[in-house]
Every structure is written in structure tokens, then in C-alpha cells.
């Protein structure tokens, strides 16, 4: 929900700037044009913003910080409205919820959310038993991370192994994990990408 508040709501609130407002506004940062030529399938492709792919480059970080500062300065007057809108949207969302259970191999698989927690919890229980087994709690996995995204999520046919992909970067760099559901042992693999 915090990602929604940080990125979506400001985007919804950006109104067109009138000519009287433009006199007192900042100029948006302009990304420098640095020509990059690359041969692809026998054709030369020019990408003037290829340099933005280098996440660790201080120039990229500096440019993104300038973009963020500009956005913050241009939308600072909208903060009270943004906060009120966020609270209203949050008040309309059922924070503690349960997905429809899916039967598979003698188990019912489902995800649930809990109020105050940002990510869903993947669970299962035996079809004839009420005892829940937590397969994957993204809230626990992200305790020391800034971001988490669950990609693939598959349980083996014998219901003993869970294979899933996880991204901690936000750049769609998923790593494959295999968890033995009998022991709880998880074996990470190198990132996919």
C-alpha cells in the first residue's frame, strides 16, 4: 500500500499547470542525450538514454534524485489532499482478507492478507483439517529489504516442494528458491535474468 501512496497518488493528483503558475515553477530535469549505438540482428540501433540502465552509476543516481526532488517540489502543496485520499482508499479496502481456496493434491491452497501488513501470506491446509500451514510469508522475507515481489509459485505434484521466484530489487531480477515443505529448508539459486 505504501508503494501506491508514494507513486500512484501523486500521479493522479498532477494537474495541468496554467500559464500564471509557470512563472513560479521549477524546470524539470532533462536527461542528457548520450548516443549509444548497438548492432542488433544486422541493424544499428541508437539509444540516447542507454546510460540510464547503469543502476550503480552516480550520474544515474544523481539524475533520478533530481527527478524525485522536482516531483516532490511540484506536488508538495497536494500533500494534505494526498493523505486524505490515501486514508479514504485504505478505509475502503478490506485489509484482512482470504482468497478463494483452490483444491490440489488433498490440500486447499490460498493466500490471505492481514491488517497492517503490506504483503500476502501464502498458505495451505488439508482439505479435511482446519490447521493452517504457512508456505510463504512475504512480510517475513522482506523484513530487512526495501522491496519484494513474488513471481512464479508452484508446488510439486507430491506436495512436498515449493518452487518460487522472488525479486528484492524492483528491477525484475528474480531468483529461484526451492523450499522443502516437510522440513522448511529453503535452497536459493542464482538470480535469473
Amino acid at each position: 500500500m505504501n508503494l501506491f501512496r508514494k507513486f500512484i497518488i501523486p500521479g493522479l493528483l498532477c494537474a495541468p499547470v496554467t500559464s500564471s503558475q509557470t512563472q513560479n515553477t521549477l524546470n524539470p530535469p532533462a536527461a542528457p542525450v548520450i548516443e549509444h549505438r548497438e548492432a542488433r540482428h544486422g541493424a544499428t540501433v541508437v539509444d540516447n538514454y542507454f546510460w540510464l540502465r547503469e543502476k550503480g552509476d552516480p550520474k544515474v543516481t544523481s539524475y533520478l534524485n533530481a527527478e524525485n526532488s522536482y516531483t516532490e517540489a511540484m506536488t508538495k502543496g497536494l500533500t494534505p489532499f494526498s493523505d486524505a485520499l490515501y486514508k479514504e482508499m485504505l478505509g475502503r479496502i478490506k485489509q484482512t482478507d482470504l482468497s478463494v481456496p483452490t483444491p490440489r493434491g488433498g490440500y486447499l491452497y490460498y493466500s490471505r492478507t492481514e491488517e497492517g501488513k503490506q504483503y500476502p501470506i501464502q498458505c495451505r491446509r488439508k482439505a479435511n483439517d482446519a490447521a493452517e500451514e504457512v508456505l510463504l510469508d512475504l512480510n517475513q522475507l522482506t523484513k530487512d529489504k526495501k522491496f519484494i515481489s513474488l513471481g512464479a509459485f508452484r508446488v510439486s505434484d507430491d506436495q512436498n516442494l515449493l518452487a518460487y521466484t522472488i525479486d528484492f530489487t524492483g528491477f525484475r531480477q528474480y531468483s529461484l528458491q526451492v523450499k522443502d515443505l516437510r522440513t522448511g529448508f529453503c535452497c536459493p539459486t542464482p538470480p535469473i535474468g
Side-chain angles (χ1 to χ4, degrees):
M1 212 51 203
N2 291 335
L3 294 173
F4 182 80
R5 182 178 198 171
K6 188 172 184 178
F7 298 109
I8 304 299
I9 291 178
L12 293 173
L13 300 177
C14 289
V17 179
T18 64
S19 59
S20 63
Q21 293 173 313
T22 56
Q23 296 171 354
N24 299 324
T25 60
L26 301 171
N27 290 326
V33 173
I34 302 172
E35 186 176 293
H36 174 82
R37 293 180 175 270
E38 190 174 307
R40 295 184 194 162
H41 309 288
T44 300
V45 177
V46 178
D47 182 354
N48 293 329
Y49 302 100
F50 184 86
W51 64 274
L52 285 170
R53 296 178 185 207
E54 301 299 323
K55 296 175 278 202
D57 187 339
K59 291 178 191 174
V60 173
T61 304
S62 175
Y63 174 72
L64 292 176
N65 286 337
E67 284 277 357
N68 289 338
S69 295
Y70 172 77
T71 301
E72 190 174 315
M74 294 301 291
T75 61
K76 71 180 175 185
L78 300 172
T79 301
F81 181 65
S82 172
D83 290 344
L85 186 59
Y86 175 75
K87 288 176 186 171
E88 183 175 337
M89 286 184 198
L90 196 59
R92 294 173 186 269
I93 295 172
K94 188 174 182 181
Q95 292 189 50
T96 301
D97 204 1
L98 184 70
S99 69
V100 176
T102 303
R104 185 168 186 263
Y107 288 91
L108 295 173
Y109 288 87
Y110 57 96
S111 65
R112 62 180 171 83
T113 55
E114 294 179 359
E115 186 168 352
K117 293 187 178 179
Q118 188 166 354
Y119 300 102
I121 302 165
Q122 305 295 330
C123 306
R124 75 177 179 183
R125 62 182 166 84
K126 291 235 180 204
N128 58 359
D129 189 7
E132 178 181 84
E133 179 183 355
V134 173
L135 304 178
L136 198 59
D137 184 349
L138 297 179
N139 300 290
Q140 291 294 325
L141 292 176
T142 193
K143 283 203 181 232
D144 59 342
K145 310 282 186 192
K146 292 182 179 180
F147 176 84
I148 192 168
S149 175
L150 179 63
F153 183 88
R154 300 287 183 267
V155 178
S156 63
D157 289 341
D158 65 4
Q159 311 302 307
N160 292 327
L161 299 174
L162 168 64
Y164 63 96
T165 57
I166 203 94
D167 171 24
F168 292 112
T169 66
F171 292 101
R172 297 180 183 149
Q173 296 174 335
Y174 289 90
S175 61
L176 175 65
Q177 310 282 319
V178 178
K179 181 177 181 181
D180 188 328
L181 297 175
R182 297 165 293 190
T183 65
F185 178 75
C186 191
C187 177
T189 61
I192 299 170

